[in-house]
Amino acid sequence: MINEIKTRLRLHHLFNEKEKIAKNYHMDKNKISSPNEKGAALAEASFQNDLVQDEIDTLITRHLTRRASRLFVPVPDPSEALMWRPNEYSLGSVLTNHGIVELRRRIREETEASRTLFITILTSLTGIIGALTGLVAIFMKK
């Protein structure tokens, strides 16, 4: 639960950082008159944006694979090109959009199955407790 909150806060921070990069680029672009300087500013903003996006992709991949591991959900094989792609700026691989959707679907299915089992057990216990309470009330009356 704590890791979930930390991950969401970090993602929020990273998305805000991407917005700041875009805002700073647009402000700088209006101040620059030379086409060469505009190109350099665009390249710098694009590089910074790619670095932040790389960190976002890594964070999402780590978060989903950790959740899948805790639930004993199989993580897609790293050799599957449809599910994984190499990181641009850091070592390792990250899930593609298709891989993220697929892993989230698997996690949801497992969570739903666990929840259904828990609800079934809880309703059964509630029924048994209610029946026992009724029996005790009948015997106490006599």
Side-chain angles (χ1 to χ4, degrees):
M1 182 66 167
I2 299 295
N3 283 334
E4 180 87 22
I5 293 169
K6 285 180 182 179
T7 300
R8 296 223 181 249
L9 286 173
R10 183 69 183 140
L11 281 172
H12 179 73
H13 171 74
L14 290 169
F15 283 117
N16 282 343
E17 197 170 323
K18 281 182 77 165
E19 289 176 12
K20 285 179 190 175
I21 290 168
K23 188 185 294 184
N24 288 341
Y25 166 71
H26 288 296
M27 287 174 50
D28 290 346
K29 182 178 78 169
N30 294 334
K31 295 176 187 175
I32 299 171
S33 59
S34 165
N36 287 339
E37 289 178 7
K38 282 187 181 184
L42 176 61
E44 177 63 26
S46 178
F47 176 72
Q48 288 177 356
N49 191 51
D50 288 348
L51 284 176
V52 173
Q53 185 61 49
D54 191 60
E55 191 172 347
I56 289 170
D57 294 342
T58 302
L59 186 63
I60 290 171
T61 297
R62 192 176 327 128
H63 174 69
L64 288 176
T65 54
R66 190 177 11 193
R67 281 186 67 193
S69 294
R70 275 192 233 123
L71 294 170
F72 301 106
V73 171
V75 176
D77 186 26
S79 64
E80 293 182 48
L82 185 62
M83 300 289 196
W84 295 87
R85 66 173 174 77
N87 250 356
E88 262 184 80
Y89 297 101
S90 58
L91 297 176
S93 297
V94 293
L95 289 166
T96 62
N97 287 339
H98 181 75
I100 289 170
V101 168
E102 179 63 24
L103 190 53
R104 288 184 72 214
R105 183 188 61 75
R106 292 178 188 177
I107 290 169
R108 264 194 307 276
E109 285 175 357
E110 182 61 32
T111 304
E112 182 64 30
S114 298
R115 193 174 294 136
T116 302
L117 178 64
F118 175 75
I119 290 171
T120 303
I121 291 171
L122 185 64
T123 54
S124 298
L125 285 175
T126 303
I128 291 169
I129 291 170
L132 289 175
T133 303
L135 286 173
V136 168
I138 289 172
F139 288 126
M140 295 293 279
K141 207 175 198 182
K142 290 184 180 186

